[in-house]
Amino acid sequence: TMPSFALGLLITFKTQSGYERYIEARTLWEHLLRESRSLSSRILLRISGQGVEKSPAVCDAQRRAVKLVTSFPVALKYHLTEDGCNPHIQLGEWEKEEDVRTA
């Protein structure tokens, strides 16, 4: 009767507040992904070398910058998870083990 009504109200409130937090987090996550893609495209379009042909150094810098920007959401996702790490991440040619450990 009265306790069951109060319990039902409490459960409904908790469910709705949890769902609202989920929707807000999902919206923020989508915004983060959209902004990282936008920044990557701006890096590729606006950073250019001299003349028509890009130098290899500019191409490498662009590639590295885009990799860093696109890997940020993934790193943030693993930072926000319970265990805080992903044992399946493989380091690329640019990263050194000691640099990653100190970061």
Side-chain angles (χ1 to χ4, degrees), residues 2-21:
M2 190 59 148
S4 62
F5 176 73
L7 183 62
L9 213 66
L10 179 65
I11 290 174
T12 303
F13 175 73
K14 285 291 193 180
T15 303
Q16 284 185 349
S17 66
Y19 185 70
E20 287 173 3
R21 285 196 321 261

Side-chain angles (χ1 to χ4, degrees), residues 39-45 47-48 54-72 92-95:
L39 181 59
S40 295
S41 68
R42 278 184 257 148
I43 287 170
L44 292 174
L45 290 174
I47 298 177
S48 60
K54 294 181 184 177
S55 70
V58 170
C59 289
D60 288 341
Q62 276 183 329
R63 192 176 304 116
R64 179 154 168 75
V66 168
K67 283 182 182 180
L68 287 172
V69 169
T70 55
S71 66
F72 174 72
E93 63 184 70
W94 295 94
E95 296 86 9

Side-chain angles (χ1 to χ4, degrees), residues 25 28-29 32 72-85:
L28 290 172
W29 187 256
L32 175 73
F72 174 72
V74 176
L76 181 63
K77 180 178 85 172
Y78 285 110
H79 174 71
L80 295 175
T81 55
E82 228 176 88
D83 60 354
C85 71

Side-chain angles (χ1 to χ4, degrees), residues 94-103:
W94 295 94
E95 296 86 9
K96 295 185 177 107
E97 181 79 26
E98 57 271 1
D99 293 341
V100 173
R101 298 266 179 232
T102 59

